Amino acid sequence: MPADKTGRNDPCPCGSGRKYKRCCLHSADAQRAEDLHQSVTEELHEAIGEQAFASMEEAQAFIKSFQVERNQRPVDDFRGLSPERMHRLLHAPLDSPEVMQVSTLLESEPDAPLAQLFGLLAEAIGGNGLKPTAKGNFPRNPCREIMQAWLGEGGYDDYTRFGAINREDDAPELHVTRVVAELAGFLRKYRGRFILSRPARDMLAATGQRALYPQLFRTYASEFNWGYRDRYPEAPIVQQGWGFTAYLLSIDGHQPQPATFYADAFHRAFPAIDHELEDDLLYRSPEELLRSLYTTRARERFADFTGIATVRDDADDILTRPQTTTVQAAPLLHRLISFPSGQPPLR
């Protein structure tokens, strides 16, 4: 940390005796916003120069044109995206084909944990359905059989070394898949049994998961809460920015990168996330907490689970995971998601 930069947990330089984050930090943020406003105003004055406008309407049209042009300029911290494109990527990623497109039909079957588990889940339900437990979950034996098939014998033994699978919640990946399938409309309860919906049966019969999986992916990316039960701060921008995470992977995922590389790039794009983390810092800096949170949610629970990236980590300690995890784009990323040309990716 630069010597002239006050840390969030340092005493506030105003002399109040309070921590900086509890005192003048937000005032400093307000000052930065004011400085940015001043910079834009000066830029506008420079653009106007010696021009003379014949009417107020002409002046307003010039200012509007200036704003549009400025919002379309690439921004370094957005990795070449303009503010306008970033806004669309955050607030309407699935309805902005000029910025990002998610395929509706894959050329081949998807290779992804989410797809594999859904396939096993659908097989367990079969044509006769499956009776849920009293709490509305999958019964124990099908849960065990699905996880054994997915993990293999050695993987299953390692998965259950600290406790057997006695209920659906003991297999979080299966539980998430079941919930997402219901949210997507592919799984429902009918006459006291789990069944596959007609759209799911029709798609599986016609194209396997080539058409079904893109819908499952959309639901998982935008509707299911990745932070479910992880005890991190809410930080909704991490999930809201899933399109930007995919964009970063499309630029830099051609070779393995440390997970911290992506977390830091996300932090540069959205530095205001520090305010969402300030009450949970304890002995960690915002950067350290974000690295851990982002690696867990955006890399492992999103990119790895949906198959658009391969995440590798040999450490068991969750605190060291961001430093030891590497991430690389998987072939499915480019088959599933594309970013139209117009602003070439930066490398």
Side-chain angles (χ1 to χ4, degrees):
M1 179 181 294
D4 60 348
K5 182 178 179 181
T6 304
R8 296 168 61 85
N9 290 307
D10 292 341
C12 187
C14 76
S16 67
R18 303 172 67 191
K19 290 184 178 181
Y20 182 49
K21 69 181 181 181
R22 299 296 186 192
C23 192
C24 292
L25 174 60
H26 296 296
S27 297
D29 289 340
Q31 182 61 51
R32 283 191 288 271
E34 184 177 337
D35 291 344
L36 177 60
H37 175 75
Q38 180 65 28
S39 174
V40 173
T41 300
E42 291 174 358
E43 188 177 338
L44 175 59
H45 286 164
E46 183 178 346
I48 292 175
E50 300 297 326
Q51 294 187 60
F53 300 107
S55 66
M56 180 62 72
E57 289 74 16
E58 184 179 341
Q60 290 174 339
F62 180 88
I63 293 173
K64 182 178 180 180
S65 175
F66 168 83
Q67 292 172 331
V68 169
E69 187 275 332
R70 195 176 191 282
N71 284 334
Q72 291 177 345
R73 295 179 197 168
V75 175
D76 288 344
D77 286 344
F78 292 168
R79 296 303 308 274
L81 294 176
S82 68
E84 180 182 24
R85 285 182 171 236
M86 180 62 88
H87 179 82
R88 299 294 296 173
L89 204 56
L90 283 177
H91 299 286
L94 296 174
D95 298 309
S96 302
E98 73 281 6
V99 178
M100 180 179 71
Q101 298 174 3
V102 178
S103 174
T104 56
L105 181 64
L106 297 172
E107 295 179 356
S108 58
E109 286 290 307
D111 182 14
L114 178 60
Q116 296 159 2
L117 284 166
F118 179 80
L120 293 167
L121 181 153
E123 184 178 331
I125 291 173
N128 297 322
L130 189 66
K131 186 176 181 180
T133 65
K135 292 186 176 181
N137 296 327
F138 264 44
R140 181 189 63 186
N141 288 342
C143 287
R144 290 179 173 178
E145 292 165 2
I146 289 172
M147 295 302 287
Q148 285 174 336
W150 181 51
L151 296 167
E153 184 177 350
Y156 184 80
D157 290 342
D158 185 61
Y159 192 89
T160 57
R161 69 184 186 277
F162 296 122
I165 294 176
N166 293 313
R167 58 185 184 277
E168 186 181 297
D169 285 349
D170 293 332
E173 299 88 351
L174 176 59
H175 173 69
V176 168
T177 302
R178 194 264 296 173
V179 172
V180 173
E182 288 186 294
L183 289 172
F186 295 148
L187 177 65
R188 64 191 183 94
K189 293 187 180 78
Y190 177 71
R191 293 184 176 179
R193 302 183 77 83
F194 282 115
I195 66 167
L196 294 178
S197 67
R198 181 174 294 277
R201 296 197 303 271
D202 290 346
M203 280 190 279
L204 288 173
T207 59
Q209 290 203 49
R210 291 169 53 213
L212 184 147
Y213 185 72
Q215 292 191 36
L216 206 61
F217 173 87
R218 285 177 168 85
T219 301
Y220 184 78
S222 60
E223 296 184 41
F224 180 79
N225 179 13
W226 305 347
Y228 174 63
R229 296 167 66 179
D230 68 9
R231 298 186 180 181
Y232 282 112
E234 291 187 10
I237 188 63
V238 171
Q239 181 158 358
Q240 188 181 3
W242 68 266
F244 185 59
T245 290
Y247 176 72
L248 291 174
L249 276 169
S250 75
I251 296 172
D252 299 302
H254 54 286
Q255 62 184 11
Q257 300 279 6
T260 52
F261 173 88
Y262 291 101
D264 293 346
F266 196 90
H267 194 197
R268 285 192 295 273
F270 308 109
I273 194 175
D274 287 354
H275 298 323
E276 300 180 32
L277 307 178
E278 62 183 8
D279 291 331
D280 295 86
L281 293 177
L282 296 177
Y283 300 105
R284 290 189 283 181
S285 69
E287 293 80 7
E288 290 170 330
L289 179 56
L290 177 63
R291 283 175 169 181
S292 183
L293 184 157
Y294 188 81
T295 298
T296 296
R297 290 187 189 166
R299 290 291 151 229
E300 298 170 9
R301 294 187 178 176
F302 172 55
D304 189 38
F305 191 58
T306 62
I308 64 173
T310 302
V311 178
R312 293 285 181 263
D313 180 38
D314 297 326
D316 293 327
D317 185 354
I318 192 171
L319 295 178
T320 63
R321 184 176 299 164
Q323 287 74 37
T324 58
T325 298
T326 59
V327 182
Q328 184 172 9
L332 180 59
L333 171 66
H334 302 290
R335 293 195 285 122
L336 180 64
I337 306 174
S338 61
F339 298 89
S341 59
Q343 289 182 306
L346 304 177
R347 289 193 180 275

